[in-house]
Amino acid sequence: MAEFQLYCFAQSGNAYRAALMLNLIDADWQPIFVDFIAKGVPRTAEYRANVNEMGEVPVLVHGAKKLSQSGVILTYLAERSGQFLPHGDDERLEALRWIIFDNHKLNGSLASFRYLRWLAKPPGHPAVLAFLKARIDNALGIFDKRLADRAYVLGSRPTIADLSLVGYLYYPPEEFGFDIAADYKSIGAWLQRIKALPGWAHPYDLMPGHPLPQ
Ligand SMILES: N[C@@H](CCC(=O)N[C@@H](CS)C(=O)NCC(=O)O)C(=O)O
């Protein structure tokens, strides 16, 4: 058995943050497929009792430890490996600030928008999609400005803040109905820089469950 197990599925950008980190630090890890889309497994009482009371992926298992929330998993892996770790108190707090902004405003809204537009049956109500799209545009604008004069979120070095913010941003534009990398130039350039890191892989190549059954 691998040293780390990650409960995940290919369409989850929340899980991708953890899977990408594991790959970038060259950890010995294996995915455990959670069928959210066809079977809603994280919503079952069994999953909540045995895997994660919050009813979510990702969950990282490391020996007797079972961690959820991608920001917690990224922090744990960075502290253990010494890689992608913010340096000092100011950087640590700044990374946390961007991880919370990402979870709440950027990928938090983008994940719900994509799910309602592309996967939900029936799709989400147009008013809900319009509400989320406005939040996404606002958050992407803020983040694009942040990256205008920096290579990475905290400056010249990639950290866990970057690995959180990439969450959903490599998925195909057709799934969103707009092209983030093309519309936001600084984000587009930053995505290319992260993609060039040794160990980078696309979410559909890193986690099980792609393509979806017809
Ligand atoms: N803030 C959490 C979000 C996790 C999350 O929402 N995961 C989704 C999959 S992408 C989930 O498990 N949803 C279950 C549900 O909606 O019932 C994190 O960063 O780990």
Side-chain angles (χ1 to χ4, degrees):
M1 192 198 281
E3 184 183 359
F4 296 94
Q5 287 90 44
L6 183 70
Y7 286 83
C8 61
F9 58 93
Q11 293 76 20
S12 170
N14 289 305
Y16 178 57
R17 300 180 178 117
L20 180 61
M21 174 79 178
L22 286 162
N23 236 45
L24 292 173
I25 66 174
D26 199 21
D28 174 27
W29 73 282
Q30 67 187 72
I32 298 176
F33 178 56
V34 177
D35 192 344
F36 169 62
I37 291 166
K39 297 194 178 142
V41 167
R43 296 180 178 171
T44 61
E46 192 193 345
Y47 186 90
R48 291 178 183 195
N50 298 325
V51 183
N52 181 5
E53 66 183 328
M54 294 181 180
E56 293 179 338
V57 303
V59 172
L60 181 75
V61 180
H62 186 214
K65 255 190 210 316
K66 206 178 260 177
L67 300 174
S68 79
Q69 292 298 333
S70 58
V72 171
I73 295 170
L74 289 173
T75 302
Y76 178 71
L77 293 172
E79 286 176 353
R80 278 189 57 85
S81 68
Q83 299 185 61
F84 301 99
L85 187 65
H87 291 161
D89 279 352
D90 288 350
E91 270 199 18
R92 186 174 52 78
L93 293 175
E94 190 63 358
L96 184 58
R97 194 165 78 97
W98 281 97
I99 289 171
I100 291 171
F101 174 79
D102 177 40
N103 270 242
H104 179 216
K105 288 280 178 62
L106 203 161
N107 279 294
S109 301
L110 194 57
S112 301
F113 177 86
R114 170 173 168 265
Y115 179 76
L116 290 175
R117 180 186 181 277
W118 177 60
L119 291 169
K121 290 186 182 68
H125 190 283
V128 176
L129 290 170
F131 169 80
L132 289 170
K133 181 65 167 61
R135 284 172 75 90
I136 293 162
D137 289 344
N138 182 52
L140 286 171
I142 289 167
F143 185 45
D144 199 58
K145 189 157 176 275
R146 171 76 180 184
L147 291 174
D149 56 359
R150 291 173 181 80
Y152 300 100
V153 178
L154 299 190
S156 57
R157 199 170 46 82
T159 65
I160 52 174
D162 299 275
L163 302 186
S164 181
L165 278 145
V166 294
Y168 282 82
L169 303 188
Y170 290 112
Y171 288 107
E174 310 81 75
E175 296 176 7
F176 302 105
F178 54 96
D179 187 338
I180 294 166
D183 296 347
Y184 296 89
K185 301 292 178 218
S186 299
I187 293 176
W190 165 80
L191 286 170
Q192 288 302 322
R193 284 191 284 277
I194 304 278
K195 197 172 178 178
L197 297 174
W200 182 89
H202 191 275
Y204 286 153
D205 297 326
L206 209 48
M207 300 180 290
H210 175 78
L212 290 168
Q214 289 307 303

